Amino acid sequence: MKTFKNIFLQYDWERIKQKINSVTGSDIERVLNKGKKTPEDFLILLAPAAAPYLEQMAQISQNLTQKRFGKVIQLYAPMYLSNECQNICTYCGFSLDNKIRRRTLSNTEIIIEAMALKAMGINHVLLVSGEANKTVGIDYFLNAVNLLRPYFANISVEVQPLSTDEYKALHAAGVHSVLVYQETYHQEVYKEYHPKGKKSNFDFRLDTPDRIGEAGLHKIGLGVLLGLEDWRVDSFFNALHIDYLQKNYWQTKFSVSFPRLRPAEGIIEPNFIMSDRDLLQLICAYRIWNEDIEISVSTRENENFRDHIISLGVTTMSAASKTNPGGYVVDPQSLEQFETSDERSMDEVRSIIRNAGYDPVMKDWDKVF
């Protein structure tokens, strides 16, 4: 079966890096003034040479986003179900080698957390867990979705890579979208970041979006962990991946997220520091390249950045997030996967969005039965 791996193998990391660093100002101007963009155009917009054009890029990004999505920001919150994990990942607080108290929510605890989120007005929930197949496998997830379906209009998941049949089961149970991050597309160093566990299998993770697409999920979310390797090269490969998926699973929607490495128990320091201006450039580059893609910014980012990015390309934001299992009510002291930066309440975030002239949306569709 043909997968993205067939495309991926045609590109070389160092050659892409050289192309990015050789971009000139005239290349930037040519891309900004052309019509339909390609992944190669996206590469040009990532280049250091694009920095002087950031204000122009931001204006274009704003116009394209308003044309396609209107002045709307969709809000959601994550619900962490478990911090148990069978992988060793050098950047994650849930890593198997971290000696922490592990916790997996029971049925009652899941419902208690759901009620706390509903009290905030949340109708979109993202279910997150560590990667522990025996403890939190497909049966656990299906049970959680069935418990939560009466509470939320939209349920998404960010869990370990699953089989096509397992994704089909989640789809049938009512899951709207699946988020999966390659973390880094630098295959040669991927194993150094993931020395043990199923996640160390680069190819299996790389093929995961294909399996999600085959299962017919409504939306697939992709991204890279910004800080592991050169963010420009990693982001080019991520866009290349999205381009392939859009062509092969054209009935599916796609989103991109921008997780920057944040402090967490036992993690490494970022190999590459990404400034706020860099992240703004990346967001604008995605929007200018792809008018249809949904762009999500989480509470990893600070209040100031999130406030200013509202009008510049973002379509989705998390708010009032807790990144530990039971973090809202059941067990606020359990270990976080990472520290959040924007700790404002849902009401505060909604107010900020309204003051920016945008509409904070908690639910934007109903399934017809």
Side-chain angles (χ1 to χ4, degrees), residues 122-137:
I122 289 294
N123 269 305
H124 288 232
V125 66
L126 171 65
L127 305 183
V128 187
S129 79
E131 300 190 9
N133 291 300
K134 293 181 180 178
T135 308
V136 282

Side-chain angles (χ1 to χ4, degrees), residues 26-298:
S26 61
D27 294 325
I28 306 295
E29 293 171 9
R30 174 179 56 81
V31 169
L32 291 178
N33 289 311
K34 70 177 290 192
K36 186 174 175 60
K37 310 295 193 296
T38 67
E40 286 68 29
D41 295 325
F42 177 77
L43 177 152
I44 288 170
L45 296 176
L46 295 176
Y53 298 85
L54 185 55
E55 185 173 344
Q56 183 180 353
M57 289 174 63
Q59 185 62 58
I60 295 171
S61 178
Q62 180 184 68
N63 293 340
L64 290 173
T65 305
Q66 289 185 13
K67 182 182 78 172
R68 173 63 178 81
F69 295 94
K71 300 182 75 171
V72 169
I73 301 292
Q74 192 174 84
L75 292 171
Y76 75 95
M79 180 192 294
Y80 276 69
L81 299 173
S82 175
N83 61 10
E84 298 190 51
C85 194
Q86 297 166 342
N87 298 315
I88 293 180
C89 301
T90 60
Y91 50 80
C92 182
F94 292 174
S95 183
L96 177 65
D97 57 343
N98 283 340
K99 305 304 180 185
I100 62 171
R101 181 170 63 91
R102 304 289 175 169
R103 199 185 213 300
T104 298
L105 299 186
S106 67
N107 288 356
T108 300
E109 291 168 340
I110 290 172
I111 292 172
I112 291 172
E113 290 287 286
M115 293 174 67
L117 288 174
K118 287 298 289 186
M120 299 180 201
I122 289 294
N123 269 305
H124 288 232
V125 66
L126 171 65
L127 305 183
V128 187
S129 79
E131 300 190 9
N133 291 300
K134 293 181 180 178
T135 308
V136 282
I138 185 61
D139 291 338
Y140 180 89
F141 299 136
L142 289 173
N143 177 66
V145 170
N146 287 329
L147 290 171
L148 293 170
R149 201 165 48 201
Y151 294 90
F152 302 104
N154 187 306
I155 300 175
S156 301
V157 299
E158 183 183 333
V159 299
Q160 68 265 29
L162 303 170
S163 69
T164 302
D165 286 343
E166 288 170 331
Y167 284 126
K168 286 180 178 179
L170 287 174
H171 182 41
V175 169
H176 174 265
S177 55
V178 177
L179 282 63
V180 60
Y181 304 141
Q182 188 63 27
E183 314 298 13
T184 179
Y185 287 86
H186 196 318
Q187 188 171 9
E188 287 73 20
V189 301
Y190 181 91
K191 183 71 173 180
E192 297 175 16
Y193 293 117
H194 311 96
K196 184 176 181 179
K198 195 171 184 178
K199 194 170 181 177
S200 64
N201 187 332
F202 179 89
D203 289 350
F204 184 75
R205 196 168 189 90
L206 191 69
D207 288 342
T208 301
D210 274 288
R211 297 193 298 275
I212 302 169
E214 289 168 3
L217 270 295
H218 183 76
K219 184 168 69 177
I220 303 173
L222 285 86
V224 294
L225 186 53
L226 299 166
L228 291 184
E229 293 299 322
D230 187 319
W231 65 266
R232 292 182 167 91
V233 184
D234 253 335
S235 296
F236 167 75
F237 278 105
N238 192 62
L240 193 68
H241 203 164
I242 292 170
D243 182 67
Y244 157 84
L245 293 166
Q246 285 184 312
K247 291 174 180 175
N248 285 273
Y249 308 103
W250 54 269
Q251 292 178 305
T252 300
K253 291 185 177 181
F254 295 89
S255 68
V256 62
S257 301
F258 306 91
R260 279 197 284 186
L261 270 177
R262 293 283 300 152
E265 183 74 22
I267 72 164
I268 60 169
E269 289 295 316
N271 282 343
F272 290 82
I273 302 300
M274 186 185 204
S275 70
D276 286 355
R277 283 184 63 86
D278 290 337
L279 183 51
L280 174 59
Q281 179 183 344
L282 179 58
I283 289 171
C284 293
Y286 266 109
R287 174 57 67 226
I288 294 169
W289 163 62
N290 192 321
E291 296 182 26
D292 293 326
I293 197 168
E294 297 181 22
I295 292 178
S296 179
V297 172
S298 77

